[in-house]
Amino acid sequence: MVTRESQRFRTLRDRIAASPDAILVLVVLVIFMDMMVYGLLIPVFPEYAPRLGVDESVLGVIFGVYAAMLFIFSIPMGLLSDRVGRRPLIVVGMFLLAGATLLFGLSTSIAHLFVARMVQGVSAAATWSAGLALLADTCDPSRLGERMGVALSAVGLGTVLGPVVGGLLFEYLGYTATFIVPSVVVACVGMLVLAVPIRTCPQEDSRGRAGVLPRRYLIPLAACAATTVAVSGTYGVLDPYLPVYLHAAFSASPATIGLVFAVLAVAAAVAQPAAGRIYDRYGGSRYLIGGGLLLSGAAIFAATQAPSLALVAAAILALGITLSCALVPMMPIMSGIYHDQGSQGVAYGMYNTFFSIGLAAGPFAGAALSGRYPLTAIFLLQAGVLAVMGVLGCLLIGRLGWR
């Protein structure tokens, strides 16, 4: 017999299933947890070298393994989400992330760290591809930039809490607690996603055409790839090597390093929805993307020249804003490119693939260069690449017909 309470519960479930705002909250929560766990390692990494007897280049490679898995699995996960729906991929991704985080907490060797990082990368491919596609499925296209900016702000929020929580847990509770506690929280989020109804259908059109683009889209897609790789490559260098630089130059503790990264993440979390709103209303991709890359190079240069930790933090604050301005327009642009192909899963699988290329190239390039050049020289090279790409972007984006 159906009671009034059960009817009310079903009505509430139906409202959640049909609400774009509820879907946005769910996707934000999933991305937040993924990036929080990713950020847990940042302040702890300088301690790995004496703990496990390895040098900085090995740490860079471990960071790169995450991106390599993201690169390999993002498009397959996007295609799979088009076929079977978004929620199954998100749930599986959350449980994989919980397992990887637990393995980090129990690791006693470099081999354990490699396996945990690989599983973490596979989980990110599933949750990001399916989660962003779910958001595009349920969002008004005229607000897609703003909504994607809000979703990406979860990256900043997760990166804020990840290093801060990781640094504090490591200092006061030890290495194991740094990962076991978040593992339990991630598993709870997976259960929440499993419990919340989501009304999505497999993308039937995509079965014959997914990933096949007319030639006119190839150059815009290449421009999206170059921009996304530039931004993610910047994070790929900063994540493993900025903590080492801050520790060497300013004797920064893990908690202090976490706070510097919190500045970067807060700036991104605030700037990304604003950049998306500006793009939705006014366009301006030439100035957002080209100007964002150019000013990002200037911010990194300023950080390398800063004589105090406070000035480094100020430059990092500016970097979070400028990188966000360059990255957020990629989301609605990628969605538009793949809209006619009926495959938002592939669209964001491609976005994740581009992002992972930079995220992998940064640590691997840093590992190759760190034995020959000081970290300051590596950061200056990165600043120069961003500045050149920014100038080229300002000159060429108008020809692509982007808003």
Side-chain angles (χ1 to χ4, degrees):
M1 181 176 180
V2 179
T3 64
R4 289 185 177 180
E5 289 74 13
S6 63
Q7 288 179 336
R8 289 175 181 175
F9 179 73
R10 290 180 181 178
T11 300
L12 178 61
R13 284 171 55 90
D14 290 341
R15 288 179 179 177
I16 293 174
S19 171
D21 291 335
I23 298 301
L24 176 62
V25 171
L26 195 65
V27 173
V28 165
L29 181 61
V30 167
I31 293 176
F32 165 78
M33 291 306 305
D34 179 77
M35 292 310 301
M36 189 192 75
V37 172
Y38 179 88
L40 285 173
L41 285 177
I42 291 173
V44 180
F45 253 46
E47 304 292 332
Y48 271 120
R51 175 188 173 93
L52 298 177
V54 298
D55 58 26
E56 297 168 3
S57 63
V58 174
L59 303 184
V61 171
I62 292 175
F63 258 93
V65 166
Y66 171 94
M69 295 299 100
L70 194 62
F71 171 78
I72 293 170
F73 286 96
S74 285
I75 294 177
M77 290 296 183
L79 283 166
L80 190 59
S81 75
D82 286 336
R83 303 290 180 91
V84 304
R86 315 301 185 197
R87 183 167 65 167
L89 270 295
I90 297 174
V91 172
V92 169
M94 283 288 96
F95 288 146
L96 286 176
L97 179 60
T101 308
L102 182 62
L103 182 56
F104 272 120
L106 301 177
S107 64
T108 57
S109 69
I110 288 295
H112 293 160
L113 296 180
F114 270 105
V115 172
R117 200 63 165 172
M118 290 173 66
V119 175
Q120 190 181 18
V122 174
S123 74
T127 55
W128 279 72
S129 296
L132 294 177
L134 174 63
L135 194 57
D137 289 341
T138 57
C139 177
D140 181 351
S142 66
R143 299 187 62 191
L144 185 56
E146 180 181 1
R147 293 272 172 149
M148 287 296 177
V150 172
L152 288 182
S153 70
V155 176
L157 293 174
T159 309
V160 167
L161 285 185
V164 172
V165 171
L168 293 176
L169 286 176
F170 182 81
E171 287 193 0
Y172 295 105
L173 296 181
Y175 176 85
T176 302
T178 301
F179 298 100
I180 290 182
V181 173
S183 175
V184 174
V185 176
V186 170
C188 291
V189 172
M191 295 298 295
L192 176 63
V193 176
L194 189 61
V196 172
I198 299 174
R199 291 178 181 172
T200 58
C201 299
Q203 304 289 305
E204 296 180 358
D205 310 3
S206 67
R207 298 188 182 185
R209 298 183 293 155
V212 179
L213 287 177
R215 290 185 178 181
R216 69 179 183 274
Y217 288 130
L218 296 181
I219 293 178
L221 187 63
C224 290
T227 301
T228 306
V229 168
V231 174
S232 62
T234 301
Y235 286 113
V237 171
L238 293 179
D239 286 347
Y241 296 112
L242 183 59
V244 177
Y245 172 76
L246 295 176
H247 182 72
F250 302 101
S251 299
S253 68
T256 301
I257 293 170
L259 292 175
V260 172
F261 274 86
V263 169
L264 174 65
V266 168
V270 173
Q272 284 165 343
R277 191 176 303 114
I278 290 171
Y279 180 80
D280 286 340
R281 294 182 181 180
Y282 308 108
S285 56
R286 173 184 297 178
Y287 305 105
L288 287 171
I289 298 171
L293 292 175
L294 177 60
L295 293 176
S296 294
I300 292 175
F301 176 81
T304 62
Q305 305 303 309
S308 69
L309 192 58
L311 292 177
V312 171
I316 294 300
L317 173 69
L319 181 63
I321 296 171
T322 55
L323 288 176
S324 299
C325 289
L327 183 63
V328 169
M330 294 299 100
M331 312 299 283
I333 289 172
M334 290 286 294
S335 179
I337 289 175
Y338 275 92
H339 178 75
D340 292 338
Q341 275 54 54
S343 181
Q344 295 299 316
V346 172
Y348 293 106
M350 291 291 291
Y351 168 81
N352 287 341
T353 299
F354 299 152
F355 197 90
S356 68
I357 290 172
L359 208 60
F364 284 124
L369 295 173
S370 62
R372 302 179 181 179
Y373 305 100
L375 288 178
T376 302
I378 296 174
F379 291 140
L380 290 176
L381 176 61
Q382 181 184 32
V385 170
L386 288 172
V388 170
M389 291 190 64
V391 171
L392 292 176
C394 290
L395 295 175
L396 300 178
I397 284 175
R399 299 183 181 181
L400 296 175
W402 293 351
R403 296 176 58 235

mmCIF file of all heavy atoms in Angstrom, residues 220-262:
data_model
loop_
_atom_site.group_PDB
_atom_site.id
_atom_site.type_symbol
_atom_site.label_atom_id
_atom_site.label_comp_id
_atom_site.label_asym_id
_atom_site.label_seq_id
_atom_site.Cartn_x
_atom_site.Cartn_y
_atom_site.Cartn_z
ATOM 1 N N PRO A 220 39.139 24.635 -35.694
ATOM 2 C CA PRO A 220 38.663 25.065 -34.373
ATOM 3 C C PRO A 220 38.956 24.049 -33.267
ATOM 4 O O PRO A 220 39.296 24.432 -32.145
ATOM 5 C CB PRO A 220 37.150 25.237 -34.594
ATOM 6 C CG PRO A 220 37.017 25.532 -36.034
ATOM 7 C CD PRO A 220 38.080 24.719 -36.710
ATOM 8 N N LEU A 221 38.840 22.751 -33.588
ATOM 9 C CA LEU A 221 39.139 21.732 -32.584
ATOM 10 C C LEU A 221 40.614 21.756 -32.205
ATOM 11 O O LEU A 221 40.971 21.612 -31.028
ATOM 12 C CB LEU A 221 38.753 20.354 -33.115
ATOM 13 C CG LEU A 221 38.853 19.193 -32.124
ATOM 14 C CD1 LEU A 221 37.892 19.396 -30.964
ATOM 15 C CD2 LEU A 221 38.563 17.861 -32.830
ATOM 16 N N ALA A 222 41.494 21.981 -33.201
ATOM 17 C CA ALA A 222 42.925 22.087 -32.908
ATOM 18 C C ALA A 222 43.216 23.295 -32.032
ATOM 19 O O ALA A 222 44.074 23.238 -31.130
ATOM 20 C CB ALA A 222 43.715 22.172 -34.209
ATOM 21 N N ALA A 223 42.505 24.407 -32.267
ATOM 22 C CA ALA A 223 42.690 25.597 -31.429
ATOM 23 C C ALA A 223 42.231 25.326 -29.998
ATOM 24 O O ALA A 223 42.878 25.764 -29.030
ATOM 25 C CB ALA A 223 41.926 26.777 -32.024
ATOM 26 N N CYS A 224 41.114 24.610 -29.841
ATOM 27 C CA CYS A 224 40.666 24.221 -28.505
ATOM 28 C C CYS A 224 41.707 23.349 -27.820
ATOM 29 O O CYS A 224 41.977 23.506 -26.620
ATOM 30 C CB CYS A 224 39.336 23.469 -28.596
ATOM 31 S SG CYS A 224 37.917 24.467 -29.047
ATOM 32 N N ALA A 225 42.286 22.425 -28.586
ATOM 33 C CA ALA A 225 43.301 21.540 -28.026
ATOM 34 C C ALA A 225 44.508 22.329 -27.546
ATOM 35 O O ALA A 225 45.012 22.109 -26.431
ATOM 36 C CB ALA A 225 43.724 20.507 -29.067
ATOM 37 N N ALA A 226 44.988 23.261 -28.379
ATOM 38 C CA ALA A 226 46.178 24.033 -28.015
ATOM 39 C C ALA A 226 45.942 24.859 -26.752
ATOM 40 O O ALA A 226 46.795 24.914 -25.856
ATOM 41 C CB ALA A 226 46.579 24.944 -29.176
ATOM 42 N N THR A 227 44.773 25.487 -26.668
ATOM 43 C CA THR A 227 44.469 26.314 -25.498
ATOM 44 C C THR A 227 44.353 25.474 -24.237
ATOM 45 O O THR A 227 44.920 25.806 -23.186
ATOM 46 C CB THR A 227 43.164 27.088 -25.730
ATOM 47 O OG1 THR A 227 43.289 27.918 -26.891
ATOM 48 C CG2 THR A 227 42.833 27.956 -24.525
ATOM 49 N N THR A 228 43.608 24.375 -24.322
ATOM 50 C CA THR A 228 43.406 23.522 -23.146
ATOM 51 C C THR A 228 44.723 22.912 -22.680
ATOM 52 O O THR A 228 45.001 22.845 -21.475
ATOM 53 C CB THR A 228 42.387 22.426 -23.459
ATOM 54 O OG1 THR A 228 41.182 23.015 -23.962
ATOM 55 C CG2 THR A 228 42.065 21.611 -22.222
ATOM 56 N N VAL A 229 45.561 22.476 -23.623
ATOM 57 C CA VAL A 229 46.861 21.912 -23.271
ATOM 58 C C VAL A 229 47.742 22.963 -22.605
ATOM 59 O O VAL A 229 48.461 22.665 -21.632
ATOM 60 C CB VAL A 229 47.545 21.327 -24.520
ATOM 61 C CG1 VAL A 229 49.015 21.005 -24.235
ATOM 62 C CG2 VAL A 229 46.828 20.076 -24.983
ATOM 63 N N ALA A 230 47.702 24.199 -23.100
ATOM 64 C CA ALA A 230 48.513 25.261 -22.501
ATOM 65 C C ALA A 230 48.126 25.505 -21.048
ATOM 66 O O ALA A 230 48.985 25.644 -20.168
ATOM 67 C CB ALA A 230 48.379 26.545 -23.313
ATOM 68 N N VAL A 231 46.813 25.552 -20.786
ATOM 69 C CA VAL A 231 46.354 25.806 -19.414
ATOM 70 C C VAL A 231 46.667 24.618 -18.511
ATOM 71 O O VAL A 231 47.223 24.780 -17.416
ATOM 72 C CB VAL A 231 44.844 26.116 -19.407
ATOM 73 C CG1 VAL A 231 44.337 26.231 -17.967
ATOM 74 C CG2 VAL A 231 44.563 27.410 -20.159
ATOM 75 N N SER A 232 46.307 23.416 -18.944
ATOM 76 C CA SER A 232 46.548 22.250 -18.091
ATOM 77 C C SER A 232 48.035 21.968 -17.926
ATOM 78 O O SER A 232 48.476 21.494 -16.867
ATOM 79 C CB SER A 232 45.841 21.017 -18.658
ATOM 80 O OG SER A 232 46.336 20.688 -19.938
ATOM 81 N N GLY A 233 48.837 22.263 -18.965
ATOM 82 C CA GLY A 233 50.274 22.103 -18.841
ATOM 83 C C GLY A 233 50.864 23.016 -17.776
ATOM 84 O O GLY A 233 51.825 22.656 -17.094
ATOM 85 N N THR A 234 50.263 24.197 -17.641
ATOM 86 C CA THR A 234 50.703 25.111 -16.585
ATOM 87 C C THR A 234 50.454 24.500 -15.209
ATOM 88 O O THR A 234 51.335 24.503 -14.335
ATOM 89 C CB THR A 234 49.965 26.453 -16.705
ATOM 90 O OG1 THR A 234 50.233 27.022 -17.993
ATOM 91 C CG2 THR A 234 50.417 27.423 -15.624
ATOM 92 N N TYR A 235 49.253 23.967 -15.018
ATOM 93 C CA TYR A 235 48.976 23.282 -13.753
ATOM 94 C C TYR A 235 49.872 22.056 -13.577
ATOM 95 O O TYR A 235 50.299 21.740 -12.458
ATOM 96 C CB TYR A 235 47.509 22.857 -13.693
ATOM 97 C CG TYR A 235 46.549 24.000 -13.458
ATOM 98 C CD1 TYR A 235 45.651 24.394 -14.447
ATOM 99 C CD2 TYR A 235 46.529 24.679 -12.254
ATOM 100 C CE1 TYR A 235 44.755 25.434 -14.241
ATOM 101 C CE2 TYR A 235 45.650 25.724 -12.022
ATOM 102 C CZ TYR A 235 44.757 26.094 -13.030
ATOM 103 O OH TYR A 235 43.890 27.130 -12.808
ATOM 104 N N GLY A 236 50.154 21.374 -14.683
ATOM 105 C CA GLY A 236 50.993 20.186 -14.613
ATOM 106 C C GLY A 236 52.402 20.466 -14.131
ATOM 107 O O GLY A 236 53.040 19.614 -13.507
ATOM 108 N N VAL A 237 52.914 21.652 -14.429
ATOM 109 C CA VAL A 237 54.231 22.044 -13.934
ATOM 110 C C VAL A 237 54.138 22.562 -12.501
ATOM 111 O O VAL A 237 54.967 22.239 -11.644
ATOM 112 C CB VAL A 237 54.865 23.107 -14.851
ATOM 113 C CG1 VAL A 237 56.141 23.678 -14.223
ATOM 114 C CG2 VAL A 237 55.179 22.511 -16.219
ATOM 115 N N LEU A 238 53.110 23.376 -12.221
ATOM 116 C CA LEU A 238 53.001 23.986 -10.898
ATOM 117 C C LEU A 238 52.750 22.953 -9.802
ATOM 118 O O LEU A 238 53.327 23.060 -8.709
ATOM 119 C CB LEU A 238 51.876 25.024 -10.895
ATOM 120 C CG LEU A 238 52.076 26.280 -11.748
ATOM 121 C CD1 LEU A 238 50.850 27.171 -11.640
ATOM 122 C CD2 LEU A 238 53.320 27.041 -11.310
ATOM 123 N N ASP A 239 51.884 21.979 -10.064
ATOM 124 C CA ASP A 239 51.473 21.060 -9.000
ATOM 125 C C ASP A 239 52.646 20.316 -8.359
ATOM 126 O O ASP A 239 52.755 20.280 -7.128
ATOM 127 C CB ASP A 239 50.436 20.069 -9.538
ATOM 128 C CG ASP A 239 49.073 20.718 -9.738
ATOM 129 O OD1 ASP A 239 48.871 21.840 -9.248
ATOM 130 O OD2 ASP A 239 48.225 20.106 -10.400
ATOM 131 N N PRO A 240 53.554 19.705 -9.140
ATOM 132 C CA PRO A 240 54.646 18.994 -8.477
ATOM 133 C C PRO A 240 55.851 19.864 -8.137
ATOM 134 O O PRO A 240 56.587 19.554 -7.195
ATOM 135 C CB PRO A 240 55.033 17.918 -9.493
ATOM 136 C CG PRO A 240 54.686 18.500 -10.809
ATOM 137 C CD PRO A 240 53.500 19.384 -10.582
ATOM 138 N N TYR A 241 56.077 20.963 -8.888
ATOM 139 C CA TYR A 241 57.342 21.682 -8.758
ATOM 140 C C TYR A 241 57.250 23.005 -8.013
ATOM 141 O O TYR A 241 58.244 23.451 -7.440
ATOM 142 C CB TYR A 241 57.960 21.894 -10.146
ATOM 143 C CG TYR A 241 58.310 20.581 -10.798
ATOM 144 C CD1 TYR A 241 57.625 20.126 -11.920
ATOM 145 C CD2 TYR A 241 59.284 19.754 -10.248
ATOM 146 C CE1 TYR A 241 57.930 18.900 -12.490
ATOM 147 C CE2 TYR A 241 59.589 18.529 -10.808
ATOM 148 C CZ TYR A 241 58.911 18.102 -11.932
ATOM 149 O OH TYR A 241 59.201 16.885 -12.487
ATOM 150 N N LEU A 242 56.086 23.636 -7.979
ATOM 151 C CA LEU A 242 55.973 24.847 -7.165
ATOM 152 C C LEU A 242 56.163 24.542 -5.676
ATOM 153 O O LEU A 242 56.826 25.329 -4.978
ATOM 154 C CB LEU A 242 54.628 25.531 -7.415
ATOM 155 C CG LEU A 242 54.418 26.852 -6.671
ATOM 156 C CD1 LEU A 242 55.495 27.877 -7.032
ATOM 157 C CD2 LEU A 242 53.018 27.414 -6.941
ATOM 158 N N PRO A 243 55.616 23.436 -5.136
ATOM 159 C CA PRO A 243 55.913 23.133 -3.730
ATOM 160 C C PRO A 243 57.407 22.976 -3.462
ATOM 161 O O PRO A 243 57.908 23.433 -2.423
ATOM 162 C CB PRO A 243 55.164 21.812 -3.494
ATOM 163 C CG PRO A 243 54.081 21.804 -4.486
ATOM 164 C CD PRO A 243 54.633 22.484 -5.694
ATOM 165 N N VAL A 244 58.116 22.330 -4.389
ATOM 166 C CA VAL A 244 59.563 22.159 -4.212
ATOM 167 C C VAL A 244 60.256 23.517 -4.225
ATOM 168 O O VAL A 244 61.157 23.791 -3.413
ATOM 169 C CB VAL A 244 60.125 21.243 -5.313
ATOM 170 C CG1 VAL A 244 61.648 21.119 -5.181
ATOM 171 C CG2 VAL A 244 59.483 19.864 -5.240
ATOM 172 N N TYR A 245 59.844 24.404 -5.151
ATOM 173 C CA TYR A 245 60.433 25.743 -5.242
ATOM 174 C C TYR A 245 60.157 26.552 -3.969
ATOM 175 O O TYR A 245 61.065 27.201 -3.424
ATOM 176 C CB TYR A 245 59.853 26.465 -6.457
ATOM 177 C CG TYR A 245 60.247 27.922 -6.542
ATOM 178 C CD1 TYR A 245 61.525 28.302 -6.964
ATOM 179 C CD2 TYR A 245 59.341 28.923 -6.200
ATOM 180 C CE1 TYR A 245 61.883 29.640 -7.039
ATOM 181 C CE2 TYR A 245 59.693 30.255 -6.267
ATOM 182 C CZ TYR A 245 60.970 30.614 -6.689
ATOM 183 O OH TYR A 245 61.321 31.939 -6.757
ATOM 184 N N LEU A 246 58.914 26.505 -3.482
ATOM 185 C CA LEU A 246 58.574 27.266 -2.281
ATOM 186 C C LEU A 246 59.323 26.738 -1.065
ATOM 187 O O LEU A 246 59.763 27.513 -0.203
ATOM 188 C CB LEU A 246 57.063 27.189 -2.032
ATOM 189 C CG LEU A 246 56.165 27.853 -3.082
ATOM 190 C CD1 LEU A 246 54.700 27.614 -2.741
ATOM 191 C CD2 LEU A 246 56.457 29.347 -3.189
ATOM 192 N N HIS A 247 59.492 25.432 -0.995
ATOM 193 C CA HIS A 247 60.223 24.843 0.126
ATOM 194 C C HIS A 247 61.702 25.239 0.080
ATOM 195 O O HIS A 247 62.300 25.562 1.115
ATOM 196 C CB HIS A 247 60.075 23.320 0.091
ATOM 197 C CG HIS A 247 60.742 22.615 1.229
ATOM 198 N ND1 HIS A 247 60.270 22.644 2.517
ATOM 199 C CD2 HIS A 247 61.877 21.859 1.269
ATOM 200 C CE1 HIS A 247 61.050 21.938 3.301
ATOM 201 N NE2 HIS A 247 62.042 21.447 2.576
ATOM 202 N N ALA A 248 62.284 25.239 -1.124
ATOM 203 C CA ALA A 248 63.704 25.568 -1.258
ATOM 204 C C ALA A 248 63.965 27.058 -1.106
ATOM 205 O O ALA A 248 64.951 27.473 -0.470
ATOM 206 C CB ALA A 248 64.221 25.081 -2.614
ATOM 207 N N ALA A 249 63.112 27.896 -1.680
ATOM 208 C CA ALA A 249 63.366 29.342 -1.699
ATOM 209 C C ALA A 249 62.934 30.037 -0.419
ATOM 210 O O ALA A 249 63.562 31.022 -0.001
ATOM 211 C CB ALA A 249 62.665 29.982 -2.898
ATOM 212 N N PHE A 250 61.854 29.546 0.218
ATOM 213 C CA PHE A 250 61.295 30.249 1.370
ATOM 214 C C PHE A 250 61.140 29.354 2.598
ATOM 215 O O PHE A 250 60.542 29.779 3.594
ATOM 216 C CB PHE A 250 59.928 30.846 1.003
ATOM 217 C CG PHE A 250 59.973 31.790 -0.170
ATOM 218 C CD1 PHE A 250 59.566 31.373 -1.426
ATOM 219 C CD2 PHE A 250 60.441 33.090 -0.015
ATOM 220 C CE1 PHE A 250 59.604 32.233 -2.514
ATOM 221 C CE2 PHE A 250 60.482 33.956 -1.100
ATOM 222 C CZ PHE A 250 60.074 33.528 -2.354
ATOM 223 N N SER A 251 61.649 28.111 2.539
ATOM 224 C CA SER A 251 61.519 27.153 3.641
ATOM 225 C C SER A 251 60.057 26.970 4.052
ATOM 226 O O SER A 251 59.728 26.859 5.242
ATOM 227 C CB SER A 251 62.348 27.606 4.851
ATOM 228 O OG SER A 251 63.720 27.684 4.512
ATOM 229 N N ALA A 252 59.166 26.931 3.065
ATOM 230 C CA ALA A 252 57.735 26.824 3.329
ATOM 231 C C ALA A 252 57.395 25.421 3.824
ATOM 232 O O ALA A 252 57.882 24.423 3.292
ATOM 233 C CB ALA A 252 56.943 27.146 2.069
ATOM 234 N N SER A 253 56.542 25.343 4.843
ATOM 235 C CA SER A 253 56.081 24.065 5.384
ATOM 236 C C SER A 253 54.951 23.515 4.512
ATOM 237 O O SER A 253 54.394 24.230 3.686
ATOM 238 C CB SER A 253 55.572 24.259 6.810
ATOM 239 O OG SER A 253 54.387 25.036 6.798
ATOM 240 N N PRO A 254 54.583 22.234 4.693
ATOM 241 C CA PRO A 254 53.453 21.692 3.929
ATOM 242 C C PRO A 254 52.173 22.495 4.094
ATOM 243 O O PRO A 254 51.438 22.705 3.132
ATOM 244 C CB PRO A 254 53.304 20.272 4.483
ATOM 245 C CG PRO A 254 54.688 19.894 4.892
ATOM 246 C CD PRO A 254 55.293 21.166 5.433
ATOM 247 N N ALA A 255 51.880 22.960 5.310
ATOM 248 C CA ALA A 255 50.663 23.753 5.513
ATOM 249 C C ALA A 255 50.743 25.081 4.770
ATOM 250 O O ALA A 255 49.751 25.535 4.178
ATOM 251 C CB ALA A 255 50.442 23.989 7.006
ATOM 252 N N THR A 256 51.903 25.726 4.786
ATOM 253 C CA THR A 256 52.073 26.995 4.071
ATOM 254 C C THR A 256 51.951 26.794 2.568
ATOM 255 O O THR A 256 51.322 27.593 1.861
ATOM 256 C CB THR A 256 53.442 27.614 4.406
ATOM 257 O OG1 THR A 256 53.524 27.826 5.822
ATOM 258 C CG2 THR A 256 53.623 28.942 3.680
ATOM 259 N N ILE A 257 52.544 25.718 2.050
ATOM 260 C CA ILE A 257 52.420 25.402 0.628
ATOM 261 C C ILE A 257 50.955 25.192 0.261
ATOM 262 O O ILE A 257 50.476 25.671 -0.776
ATOM 263 C CB ILE A 257 53.254 24.157 0.284
ATOM 264 C CG1 ILE A 257 54.751 24.458 0.447
ATOM 265 C CG2 ILE A 257 52.965 23.675 -1.144
ATOM 266 C CD1 ILE A 257 55.636 23.230 0.371
ATOM 267 N N GLY A 258 50.229 24.504 1.122
ATOM 268 C CA GLY A 258 48.810 24.306 0.877
ATOM 269 C C GLY A 258 48.052 25.608 0.804
ATOM 270 O O GLY A 258 47.148 25.773 -0.027
ATOM 271 N N LEU A 259 48.403 26.575 1.634
ATOM 272 C CA LEU A 259 47.732 27.875 1.606
ATOM 273 C C LEU A 259 48.032 28.639 0.323
ATOM 274 O O LEU A 259 47.167 29.330 -0.209
ATOM 275 C CB LEU A 259 48.136 28.697 2.834
ATOM 276 C CG LEU A 259 47.622 28.177 4.178
ATOM 277 C CD1 LEU A 259 48.187 29.006 5.325
ATOM 278 C CD2 LEU A 259 46.091 28.211 4.209
ATOM 279 N N VAL A 260 49.247 28.535 -0.197
ATOM 280 C CA VAL A 260 49.579 29.184 -1.471
ATOM 281 C C VAL A 260 48.735 28.597 -2.590
ATOM 282 O O VAL A 260 48.186 29.327 -3.432
ATOM 283 C CB VAL A 260 51.080 29.048 -1.785
ATOM 284 C CG1 VAL A 260 51.383 29.560 -3.196
ATOM 285 C CG2 VAL A 260 51.904 29.827 -0.764
ATOM 286 N N PHE A 261 48.593 27.276 -2.608
ATOM 287 C CA PHE A 261 47.747 26.653 -3.616
ATOM 288 C C PHE A 261 46.278 26.988 -3.388
ATOM 289 O O PHE A 261 45.492 27.034 -4.335
ATOM 290 C CB PHE A 261 47.971 25.146 -3.632
ATOM 291 C CG PHE A 261 49.115 24.725 -4.491
ATOM 292 C CD1 PHE A 261 50.414 24.700 -3.984
ATOM 293 C CD2 PHE A 261 48.924 24.378 -5.816
ATOM 294 C CE1 PHE A 261 51.480 24.324 -4.778
ATOM 295 C CE2 PHE A 261 49.977 24.003 -6.621
ATOM 296 C CZ PHE A 261 51.268 23.978 -6.112
ATOM 297 N N ALA A 262 45.901 27.225 -2.136
ATOM 298 C CA ALA A 262 44.533 27.647 -1.862
ATOM 299 C C ALA A 262 44.247 28.992 -2.506
ATOM 300 O O ALA A 262 43.147 29.240 -3.008
ATOM 301 C CB ALA A 262 44.295 27.705 -0.357
#
